[in-house]
Amino acid sequence: MAGILAWFWNERFWLPHNVTWADLKNTEEATFPQAEDLYLAFPVAFCIFMVRLIFERFVAKPCAIALNIQANGPQIAQPNAILEKVFTAITKHPDEKRLEGLSKQLDWDVRSIQRWFRQRCNQEKPSTLARFCESMWKFSFHLYVFIYGVRFLKKSPWLWNTRHCWYNYPYQPLTTDLHYYYILELSYYWSLMVSQFTDIKRKDFGIMLLHHIVAIFLLSFSYVNNMARVGTLILCLHDSSDYLLEAAKMANYAKFQKSCDLLFVMFAMVFITARLAIYPCWVLNTTLFESWEIVGPYPSWWVFNLLLLLVQGMNCFWSYMVIKIARKAISKGKVSKDDRSDIESSSDEEDSEPPGKNPHTATTTNGTSGTNGYLLTGSCSMDD
């Protein structure tokens, strides 16, 4: 075990040339980031998760009720043992051949069977009230950390001149404010690693999980080798649009369509500007070029920058999705669909129709095939 730890913490990988871990031990004159500080994130993450539960129940829920947001969930599918067996044991999205077989077996038309599978998929989805509570929590947290980050950074020289991220590196003392900012953000992402599996499931679940893993790794990585200054720039920049997204989602759930549209436009502008312009031209410029000039490359420098480029790749993906939604909003006059978000039934009116015994109907609905032809409800319902 000692050999593995010695290999993992090899100074030649983590630190610039001629720098050792002994040089970064805490002294009476200066405090530096220590790897064991990261353990603090676990109890803080648990506290954040518990605060979220309390907040959603005693703050967000009363606000939702005051806005007349109902707790009603999706319509429950009519009990049917044959369809339930197919749904649980075979497939949740039967193809045309299976639909026709079930239609003959049950004497239902194909459209009714499609509707049953759609309702069955949707009935376990959370209510609008639950969605509002989740968004209000995320809005509150992201707004708080963004304001904190701005207040902290406006007093920091590296906000105004990014070369200060590398002057005297890695012998840059750790301040209390920077330590709090880092541990709070790291703890939040650890809490998301748990809540990701209990929150509303969305189509981009996989890439969001990858995002959380990369975020945790980057935060931990940059803290251990004392790249925390540039890390604070990245954190604040990425927090700049998240609260606007959650505000737009809350407006949508409360059926304030004009407010939703306005907030989404603001979100899209900030998001694309921050992640496609400022991030590469400001952050990547300093991590790739200014650090090379002032400090020089070393093994962990390459890993850090590769991870930042991976983040930029995810930024491009999400920006594409934002632009896609914005184009549809322009064509329809409002933000009406979210290709990243959770999938729901295409129409409450359609779902409310009882199963009929009419002859087979076409297997397409609104130009889409079978139970895969869901339309998305809940405009502005993207996650961060």
Side-chain angles (χ1 to χ4, degrees):
M1 180 61 69
I4 294 174
L5 290 175
W7 170 82
F8 182 81
W9 294 111
N10 189 304
E11 294 165 342
R12 298 284 61 79
F13 170 79
W14 287 94
L15 301 173
H17 186 60
N18 291 331
V19 179
T20 67
W21 291 119
D23 298 331
L24 299 177
K25 289 293 184 182
N26 292 333
T27 65
E28 294 182 359
E29 293 77 22
T31 300
F32 300 103
Q34 305 296 312
E36 53 267 25
D37 296 346
L38 299 178
Y39 291 124
L40 181 60
F42 295 108
V44 176
F46 176 78
C47 291
I48 289 175
F49 187 77
M50 297 306 296
V51 168
R52 172 182 176 170
L53 296 179
I54 295 170
F55 179 91
E56 289 187 356
R57 181 170 182 178
F58 296 104
V59 179
K61 187 175 180 179
C63 290
I65 294 172
L67 292 169
N68 295 319
I69 297 176
Q70 303 298 318
N72 299 332
Q75 185 175 350
I76 303 299
Q78 175 184 338
N80 187 292
I82 296 175
L83 295 180
E84 184 69 25
K85 183 177 180 180
V86 173
F87 182 88
T88 56
I90 302 176
T91 178
K92 296 181 180 180
H93 305 291
D95 56 22
E96 183 176 348
K97 183 178 179 180
R98 190 176 297 277
L99 286 170
E100 291 178 353
L102 290 170
S103 175
K104 294 177 181 179
Q105 183 178 359
L106 296 171
D107 196 20
W108 285 15
D109 60 79
V110 173
R111 184 182 177 88
S112 296
I113 297 174
Q114 291 174 331
R115 185 183 306 112
W116 188 95
F117 275 92
R118 184 163 56 248
Q119 291 175 346
R120 183 62 181 84
C121 286
N122 289 334
Q123 71 182 36
E124 297 177 356
K125 292 183 181 295
S127 64
T128 303
L129 186 144
R131 298 167 189 270
F132 180 91
C133 292
E134 178 187 320
S135 290
M136 188 170 180
W137 159 252
K138 291 181 178 180
F139 165 79
S140 302
F141 184 87
H142 287 304
L143 181 61
Y144 168 73
V145 294
F146 176 63
I147 292 174
Y148 181 88
V150 170
R151 294 186 63 182
F152 166 69
L153 284 172
K154 72 179 184 180
K155 300 179 293 184
S156 305
W158 58 90
L159 174 66
W160 314 106
N161 182 357
T162 53
R163 298 177 72 87
H164 281 278
C165 292
W166 313 108
Y167 290 151
N168 198 38
Y169 176 83
Y171 305 107
Q172 298 166 341
L174 177 68
T175 65
T176 302
D177 289 343
L178 194 154
H179 178 259
Y180 170 79
Y181 191 23
Y182 244 70
I183 295 299
L184 182 64
E185 291 271 15
L186 179 60
S187 302
Y188 177 69
Y189 281 109
W190 273 119
S191 73
L192 288 181
M193 287 294 291
V194 176
S195 63
Q196 177 82 1
F197 297 92
T198 59
D199 284 346
I200 299 164
K201 296 297 185 296
R202 293 183 168 87
K203 291 172 66 177
D204 62 345
F205 174 87
I207 196 167
M208 284 304 301
L209 184 62
L210 174 64
H211 171 270
H212 299 336
I213 293 172
V214 171
I216 289 171
F217 194 83
L218 268 172
L219 283 163
S220 304
F221 193 93
S222 59
Y223 185 87
V224 167
N225 65 2
N226 206 11
M227 290 184 177
R229 288 188 175 184
V230 73
T232 59
L233 300 180
I234 298 170
L235 287 172
C236 192
L237 186 64
H238 282 75
D239 287 333
S240 62
S241 59
D242 291 340
Y243 68 94
L244 290 171
L245 172 61
E246 300 303 333
K249 291 164 66 175
M250 288 192 296
N252 174 69
Y253 299 143
K255 301 187 185 304
F256 299 150
Q257 187 62 51
K258 291 184 178 179
S259 298
C260 172
D261 294 343
L262 176 61
L263 287 165
F264 181 80
V265 169
M266 294 171 60
F267 158 75
M269 292 174 61
V270 174
F271 185 95
I272 293 172
T273 302
R275 306 200 182 198
L276 294 189
I278 299 177
Y279 179 78
C281 297
W282 189 48
V283 173
L284 292 182
N285 176 67
T286 191
T287 60
L288 287 169
F289 303 111
E290 292 179 348
S291 64
W292 182 295
E293 176 186 344
I294 298 172
V295 179
Y298 50 98
S300 67
W301 179 94
W302 291 101
V303 175
F304 183 66
N305 279 287
L306 284 173
L307 288 171
L308 293 183
L309 291 172
L310 177 60
V311 170
Q312 180 61 14
M314 290 188 285
N315 287 341
C316 292
F317 169 79
W318 281 314
S319 296
Y320 164 75
M321 301 306 295
V322 170
I323 293 171
K324 194 174 179 181
I325 297 168
R327 289 181 60 187
K328 293 178 182 178
I330 293 172
S331 64
K332 295 186 178 183
K334 66 176 183 178
V335 181
S336 59
K337 293 178 68 177
D338 179 1
D339 293 322
R340 291 182 53 203
S341 191
D342 38 308
I343 304 175
E344 297 184 352
S345 59
S346 60
S347 169
D348 293 337
E349 180 182 350
E350 177 184 290
D351 288 345
S352 64
E353 297 175 11
K357 296 187 178 182
N358 300 326
H360 297 184
T361 59
T363 59
T364 59
T365 301
N366 293 332
T368 53
S369 175
T371 54
N372 292 325
Y374 308 150
L375 293 182
L376 308 181
T377 61
S379 60
C380 304
S381 54
M382 296 174 58
D383 202 357
D384 58 334

